[in-house]
C-alpha cells in the first residue's frame, strides 16, 4: 500500500509543478512585435488584385497581419482567414510527420474600410480598423464636420478611425485636424507616390503637421502605411506594397490583441528600421535599435519635441531622452544610413 500512496504524492506534485509555469504565463504574457499594414486596396475598389492575392503578398513577405481597406467597401475576411489557418494546420501536421519545424506562420486578416468622402476640393479619407459593418461617406457642411461625422460613424460601427494622407490634394491642415473629437490616429507616412508626405511650397510635411498638432496638445499617434493598389505592375510611380508599416506590441496575434495595442499607442511606425524595444520609464523614452542584417548600416536617433525641435541626437544602437519639466512631449525618429526610418509614438509630460 505504501508505494501506491508515494506514487499518488508524486503524481500530485507533478500536477502542481505542471500548473506553475502556466499560471506564471497567464499573469505575465510575453509581449512581442507583430508587423502589419493597415491600409491596402483590392479589386473590391481601385486595386489590381483580389483580396486573396493581396493577402498572400503580405503573408509571403513576412507580415503578421493586414487590414483590407477599400473605398467605402468592407471586405469580409472570414473565409480567407479560414484558408490561412488551414495552411498553418496542414503545415504543422506535415512538419510532425517529417520531423521538421513548421514553416508556415499564422497570418491575421483584420476587416476595414477607407471611408472616402470629400468637401469642395478636399479629399477626406478616414480609415476604419476592425469595423463590424460598412460605414460609407457621411458628408457634412465643412471639412471638420465631414471628418467628425466619418470618425463618429466609424466608432459607431465598432472600428478605430485614422485620418489618411492629409496632404493628398492638399486637403487637410492642422486647423482642420485640431478640432476633432475621438481621433487618436493619423498617417505620418503613406507609400502612395501622389499623397505628398514631404510637403513643399509652404505646406508642412506630415511629420511637421504631427509636431504642430502635438505642440497644440492634440494627442495623436502616427501611423505608417502602404496604401498599396498595385501588385501586378511595379515601379516608383506605382502605389506598390512594402513601403510603410507598423509593429504593434501584443501578447498574441489575435484581432483583439492587435486592436488593443493599436488603440493604446503601443506600436511604432517604420519604412525599414527595426526596433528591438521602445520603453517609457517615467519621463524617459528609451529606444533600442535592432541590427537586422550583418551589415555596416549606421543609425541616428533624433529625439523631437514641440514644433519639430530636435532635443537630442543619439548615435548608438541604444538611446534615451528624459523630458524636462516644461517640455510637453518627446518622440523619437530613428534614421538609418540607408534612408529608412522608424517613428516611435510620443510620450507626454503627464
Ligand atoms: Zn485615400
Ligand atoms: Zn487608400
Amino acid at each position: 500500500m505504501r508505494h501506491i500512496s508515494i506514487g499518488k504524492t508524486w503524481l500530485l506534485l507533478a500536477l502542481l509543478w505542471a500548473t506553475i509555469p502556466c499560471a506564471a504565463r497567464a499573469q505575465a504574457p510575453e509581449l512581442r512585435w507583430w508587423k502589419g499594414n493597415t491600409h491596402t486596396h483590392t479589386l473590391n475598389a481601385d486595386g489590381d488584385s483580389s483580396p486573396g492575392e493581396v493577402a498572400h503578398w503580405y503573408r509571403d513577405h513576412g507580415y503578421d497581419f493586414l487590414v483590407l481597406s477599400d473605398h467605402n467597401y468592407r471586405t469580409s475576411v472570414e473565409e480567407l482567414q479560414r484558408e490561412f489557418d488551414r495552411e498553418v494546420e496542414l503545415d504543422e501536421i506535415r512538419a510532425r510527420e517529417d520531423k521538421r519545424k513548421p514553416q508556415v506562420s499564422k497570418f491575421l486578416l483584420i476587416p476595414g474600410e477607407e471611408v472616402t468622402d470629400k468637401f469642395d476640393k478636399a479629399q477626406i479619407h478616414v480609415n476604419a480598423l476592425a469595423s463590424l459593418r460598412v460605414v460609407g461617406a457621411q458628408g457634412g457642411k465643412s471639412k471638420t464636420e465631414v471628418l467628425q461625422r466619418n470618425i463618429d460613424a466609424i466608432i459607431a460601427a465598432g472600428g478605430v478611425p485614422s485620418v489618411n494622407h492629409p496632404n493628398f490634394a492638399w486637403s487637410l491642415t492642422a486647423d482642420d485636424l485640431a478640432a476633432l473629437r475621438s481621433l487618436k490616429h493619423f498617417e505620418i507616412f503613406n507609400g502612395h507616390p501622389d499623397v505628398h508626405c514631404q510637403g513643399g511650397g509652404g505646406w508642412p510635411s506630415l511629420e511637421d503637421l504631427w509636431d504642430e498638432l502635438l505642440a497644440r496638445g492634440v494627442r495623436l499617434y502616427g501611423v505608417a502605411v502602404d496604401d498599396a493598389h498595385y501588385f501586378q505592375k511595379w515601379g516608383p510611380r506605382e502605389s506598390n506594397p512594402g513601403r510603410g508599416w507598423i509593429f504593434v506590441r501584443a501578447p498574441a496575434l489575435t484581432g483583439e490583441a492587435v486592436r488593443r495595442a493599436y488603440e493604446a499607442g503601443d506600436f511604432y511606425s517604420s519604412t525599414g528600421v527595426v526596433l528591438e524595444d521602445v520603453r517609457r520609464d517615467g519621463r524617459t523614452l528609451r529606444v533600442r535599435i535592432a541590427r537586422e542584417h550583418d551589415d555596416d548600416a549606421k543609425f541616428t536617433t533624433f529625439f523631437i519635441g514641440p514644433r519639430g525641435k530636435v532635443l537630442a541626437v543619439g548615435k548608438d544602437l541604444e538611446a534615451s531622452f528624459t523630458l524636462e519639466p516644461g517640455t510637453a512631449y518627446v518622440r523619437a525618429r530613428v534614421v538609418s544610413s540607408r534612408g529608412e526610418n522608424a517613428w516611435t509614438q510620443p510620450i507626454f509630460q503627464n
Side-chain angles (χ1 to χ4, degrees):
M1 288 302 282
R2 191 180 155 83
H3 71 277
I4 290 169
S5 81
I6 288 170
K8 274 184 183 164
T9 307
W10 275 108
L11 187 67
L12 205 67
L13 282 171
L15 281 170
L16 269 172
W17 177 253
T19 61
I20 288 166
C22 288
R25 266 203 303 276
Q27 273 168 6
E30 200 188 316
L31 297 169
R32 54 155 285 191
W33 298 107
W34 307 96
K35 180 179 178 178
N37 174 39
T38 59
H39 185 168
T40 330
H41 296 279
T42 76
L43 283 171
N44 288 333
D46 50 354
D48 73 351
S49 299
S50 69
E53 288 171 305
V54 169
H56 275 92
W57 188 93
Y58 282 94
R59 201 275 311 268
D60 296 346
H61 287 80
Y63 287 69
D64 299 300
F65 69 93
L66 175 69
V67 181
L68 294 174
S69 60
D70 273 314
H71 300 287
N72 298 332
Y73 189 99
R74 182 186 180 279
T75 300
S76 30
V77 297
E78 288 83 0
E79 199 178 316
L80 211 46
Q81 186 65 63
R82 276 195 293 276
E83 282 175 35
F84 279 110
D85 292 346
R86 261 200 304 275
E87 265 189 68
V88 173
E89 279 166 35
L90 276 175
D91 179 60
E92 274 170 8
I93 291 166
R94 285 196 197 113
R96 268 200 300 276
E97 284 170 2
D98 303 348
K99 296 190 172 61
R100 61 164 169 85
K101 279 189 180 163
Q103 285 159 350
V104 182
S105 12
K106 188 181 169 180
F107 185 70
L108 176 70
L109 284 162
I110 298 173
E113 174 184 346
E114 183 173 15
V115 178
T116 305
D117 212 332
K118 56 182 171 182
F119 181 80
D120 277 345
K121 290 189 180 104
Q123 296 287 338
I124 299 175
H125 297 185
V126 187
N127 240 50
L129 179 139
S131 40
L132 301 171
R133 55 172 193 268
V134 186
V135 178
Q138 303 293 307
K141 295 190 201 75
S142 68
K143 277 195 274 181
T144 298
E145 193 184 321
V146 172
L147 280 162
Q148 192 63 61
R149 283 169 56 83
N150 284 304
I151 288 165
D152 293 345
I154 289 167
I155 293 170
V160 184
S162 174
V163 169
N164 294 347
H165 46 58
N167 281 356
F168 176 41
W170 308 107
S171 298
L172 301 174
T173 64
D175 287 341
D176 298 324
L177 297 171
L180 301 171
R181 297 179 309 274
S182 317
L183 179 72
K184 292 202 286 186
H185 300 75
F186 91 117
E187 286 179 0
I188 55 153
F189 175 88
N190 179 308
H192 196 295
D194 299 327
V195 299
H196 314 296
C197 297
Q198 288 306 313
W203 273 77
S205 69
L206 297 188
E207 220 180 325
D208 289 342
L209 179 61
W210 193 16
D211 284 312
E212 174 63 27
L213 288 161
L214 292 170
R216 292 192 197 184
V218 184
R219 295 189 175 191
L220 289 176
Y221 301 127
V223 186
V225 304
D226 274 339
D227 198 357
H229 289 68
Y230 303 124
F231 296 76
Q232 313 292 337
K233 209 168 125 193
W234 293 80
R237 294 289 308 144
E238 309 296 337
S239 60
N240 294 139
R243 293 176 181 169
W245 55 87
I246 58 172
F247 270 101
V248 303
R249 181 159 45 192
L253 186 59
T254 65
E256 211 185 300
V258 168
R259 182 209 169 108
R260 203 177 299 138
Y262 179 75
E263 274 199 290
D266 201 359
F267 69 93
Y268 71 89
S269 292
S270 179
T271 58
V273 173
V274 179
L275 302 180
E276 252 170 42
D277 200 12
V278 181
R279 202 157 288 278
R280 179 192 184 144
D281 292 327
R283 287 187 289 115
T284 302
L285 175 62
R286 292 179 198 286
V287 176
R288 196 160 73 234
I289 302 155
R291 191 173 272 293
E292 271 284 271
H293 314 287
D294 190 18
D295 64 20
D296 58 353
K298 292 189 184 296
F299 301 88
T300 311
T301 302
F302 296 94
F303 289 99
I304 299 167
R307 298 205 160 82
K309 188 176 178 203
V310 176
L311 305 170
V313 178
K315 292 170 185 159
D316 301 317
L317 291 180
E318 283 194 50
S320 66
F321 181 80
T322 302
L323 263 182
E324 280 164 18
T327 306
Y329 73 91
V330 64
R331 62 182 185 82
R333 174 193 186 186
V334 183
V335 185
S336 82
S337 48
R338 299 179 197 288
E340 296 165 330
N341 291 292
W343 297 268
T344 77
Q345 303 309 327
I347 67 163
F348 299 92
Q349 195 64 248
N350 44 47

